[in-house]
């Protein structure tokens, strides 16, 4: 079971390929870009791969889809028939509620889809920037549904462990999407909104490290994140509203020069933030 | 002119003392805490220092005040009389409009106050965490007014250069405060507001690096930042409102599923953010 097909050799798919190849897996790939396949073969990231040979999927008992959310769903709709009976399939998609049930329904009882979300990335794209080390300090969330089996879950866990994730957790698809709305999507929205303010264009010369840290994620892949935001709209809008409420509370305390309230909010912030420091 | 008194040996004062001592200055200090003075002397960060001997100020032609904003103003009010005729005085205060004119008026023609803001720091306090390396990757802003002389400005520039700041700039006190409201104070408000949201207390286990980076500054010294926010209230509230407007614009585009607008905002964000990357 160490022979795996990866569909989509972008930054994440490529990093998974690199990491698993180093752990002795035999990795094959499908990607729409011929240069990507050539590069991956030449650099021994994969054993072999194709751009157009869809039927190739038939040969694999284990498949990792590393595609944008919509592309992933469309791909399964179109190529479901080529997936091998009894195969176990996983993914890397950053939203779950909107896609997991659809994929599981499409696959029916033929193959098992065990959803996974490696919470890793960087602000660069493509196989050439692939690096298995991005997983080392990151969390991997596995989000099984009632349709999953122990065998499927164990496959996802094994992949995550072999990729050296710092932590592997299990969450329901709903809890996952709520968590991701707050920790990842809301923070990307904040960074984007900050960069869209006119001032950010004029103050580059004075920018310090804390502003740089805060806006690093403002360098954003608009196609992927537009899909992710819309697929998680319900939870994201809720978190955006909660953030606005919290921000307005702080603003009001400053306007009213209510130093007691200001200090209270800062003490809560400091106390909570300290829990986030790694040992 | 390499004999300097530093008033206030906290993280910043202590880091300045360390950096200048390494460059061959003779550094003396006043601090309210006897252990701080003992530690600094023992570790050869200063030549000598006192906790209560205010008249000691008389001996110095060059003084750096490294105090909280209010403490600084109160200190000058009280001890103005001990400052030497013709002395050049600088500071490290993070807001300028509210304090610079007051200090310059208090000092009258007796001594020159050339305001300086080393835009550096860390989330730890006190002489024991002092480290002159915090200046190396940072900007230093000098904010002269019409009352300043070339001699005064040159003193501030020399200090900044000897502390190895990456960049030394000059700004008016108003432009400084507007810039700091956006780049530093607004970002601290965002980080605090994010940590005050209930969710942040529950999701520590799933936190990734981008959330950590974004909220690093949420670990905040409530006494100092309350003073800084209130002293710069006019500019800060303006920037907070502009941020809310920008955030609401993005939120509305998500609510309306206006992908064209969402992508437009993300492209602006990405393009601007790229300018912030250091070579």
């Amino acid at each position: 079971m160490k022979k795996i097909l990866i569909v989509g050799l972008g930054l994440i798919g490529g990093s998974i390929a690199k990491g698993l190849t180093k752990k002795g897996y035999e990795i094959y790939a499908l990607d729409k870009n011929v240069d990507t396949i050539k590069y991956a073969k030449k650099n021994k990231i994969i054993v072999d791969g194709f751009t157009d040979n869809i039927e190739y999927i038939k040969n694999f008992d284990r498949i990792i889809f590393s595609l944008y959310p919509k592309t992933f769903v469309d791909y399964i709709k179109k190529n479901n028939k080529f997936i091998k009976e009894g195969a176990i399939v996983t993914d890397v998609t950053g939203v779950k509620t909107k896609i997991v049930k659809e994929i599981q329904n499409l696959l029916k009882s033929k193959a098992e889809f065990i959803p996974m979300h490696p919470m890793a990335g960087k602000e660069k794209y493509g196989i050439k920037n692939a690096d298995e080390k991005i997983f080392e300090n990151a969390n991997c969330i596995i989000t099984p549904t009632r349709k999953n089996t122990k065998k499927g879950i164990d496959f996802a866990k094994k992949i995550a462990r072999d990729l050296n994730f710092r932590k592997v957790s299990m969450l329901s698809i709903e809890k996952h999407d709520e968590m991701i709305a707050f920790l990842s999507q809301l923070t990307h929205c904040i960074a984007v909104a900050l960069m869209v303010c006119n001032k950010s264009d004029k103050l580059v010369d004075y920018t310090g490290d804390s502003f740089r840290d805060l806006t690093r994620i403002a360098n954003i892949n608009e196609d992927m994140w537009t899909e992710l935001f819309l697929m998680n709209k319900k939870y994201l809008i809720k978190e955006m509203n909660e953030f606005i409420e919290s921000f307005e509370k702080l603003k009001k305390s400053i306007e009213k020069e209510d130093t007691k309230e200001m200090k209270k909010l800062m003490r809560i912030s400091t106390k909570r933030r300290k829990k986030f420091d790694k040992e």
Side-chain angles (χ1 to χ4, degrees), chain A:
Chain A
M1 286 311 167
K2 287 209 143 187
K3 185 180 153 196
I4 291 181
L5 176 70
I6 298 179
V7 182
L9 270 191
L11 178 79
I12 298 297
S15 301
I16 293 174
K18 274 190 169 178
L20 294 182
T21 293
K22 282 197 181 161
K23 286 285 169 84
Y25 285 76
E26 266 178 63
I27 302 296
Y28 298 81
L30 282 173
D31 192 278
K32 61 183 177 186
N33 187 332
V34 65
D35 291 334
T36 297
I37 296 294
K38 273 187 196 161
Y39 179 90
K41 261 185 89 166
K42 194 181 154 197
N43 289 278
K44 298 195 166 50
I45 299 169
I46 59 171
V47 180
D48 203 359
F50 292 95
T51 53
D52 47 10
N53 188 352
I54 303 296
E55 293 195 32
Y56 192 59
I57 294 186
K58 276 185 197 160
N59 307 317
F60 295 88
D61 294 300
R62 298 290 180 267
I63 309 171
I64 301 172
F65 285 93
S66 185
L67 300 169
Y68 284 12
K70 274 190 191 166
T71 316
F72 178 33
V73 173
D74 292 345
Y75 198 97
I76 297 292
K77 274 183 189 161
K78 205 173 142 196
N79 304 310
N80 195 2
K81 56 184 174 291
F82 302 117
I83 291 174
K84 195 173 173 179
E85 193 78 30
I88 296 178
V89 168
T90 187
D91 73 332
V92 302
T93 319
V95 286
K96 295 303 186 195
T97 318
K98 284 269 183 208
I99 66 145
V100 169
K101 285 183 182 170
E102 188 169 2
I103 301 278
Q104 287 184 336
N105 286 336
L106 284 166
L107 292 174
K108 295 202 183 70
S109 58
K110 193 173 76 164
E112 176 173 352
F113 172 47
I114 171 73
M116 187 159 78
H117 179 197
M119 286 179 68
K122 51 180 174 175
E123 286 70 38
K124 288 178 174 176
Y125 307 104
I127 184 84
K128 287 183 187 171
N129 291 304
D131 180 1
E132 74 281 7
K133 287 188 192 67
I134 60 172
F135 304 127
E136 279 176 20
N137 216 3
N139 297 334
C140 186
I141 321 280
I142 299 166
T143 61
T145 70
R146 275 187 229 159
K147 295 201 174 169
N148 287 108
T149 66
K150 186 175 180 304
K151 196 175 164 192
I153 296 168
D154 285 347
F155 167 65
K157 278 188 186 166
K158 174 104 175 76
I159 293 292
R161 275 195 297 256
D162 284 343
L163 288 172
N164 296 328
F165 274 93
R166 187 170 62 92
K167 202 178 156 190
V168 182
S169 332
M170 308 259 272
L171 277 179
S172 71
I173 52 178
E174 293 83 8
K175 286 275 170 212
H176 169 274
D177 284 358
E178 205 183 349
M179 177 272 287
I180 223 68
F182 182 78
L183 286 183
S184 165
Q185 299 189 328
L186 172 62
T187 51
H188 279 78
C189 287
I190 288 171
V192 169
L194 199 51
M195 291 311 294
V196 169
C197 288
N198 273 324
K199 271 224 175 47
S200 61
D201 209 24
K202 294 169 197 149
L203 298 176
V204 179
D205 287 351
Y206 305 104
T207 308
D209 281 343
S210 59
F211 191 83
R212 279 205 174 77
D213 282 353
L214 203 137
T215 58
R216 188 172 54 81
I217 53 177
N219 179 346
I220 192 170
N221 176 331
E222 73 259 23
D223 295 318
M224 185 174 82
W225 284 92
T226 296
E227 281 191 20
L228 290 171
F229 286 173
L230 292 183
M231 284 201 170
N232 209 27
K233 186 177 148 181
K234 188 182 80 175
Y235 291 114
L236 175 56
I237 295 292
K238 189 168 160 277
E239 298 309 332
M240 288 180 94
N241 286 331
E242 279 180 28
F243 171 72
I244 291 170
E245 204 179 294
S246 171
F247 191 76
E248 292 278 7
K249 193 196 277 180
L250 178 60
K251 196 187 105 185
K252 196 180 266 177
S253 74
I254 298 169
E255 274 171 331
K256 289 163 64 186
E257 309 206 355
D258 181 350
T259 57
K260 208 177 138 193
E261 173 74 0
M262 286 170 71
K263 288 184 188 182
K264 194 188 101 187
L265 295 172
M266 291 188 214
R267 272 192 301 267
I268 294 173
S269 169
T270 299
K271 196 179 156 202
R272 287 191 180 165
R273 182 58 182 77
K274 278 182 179 159
K275 290 193 210 163
F276 287 70
D277 289 332
K278 293 176 195 168
E279 296 80 44

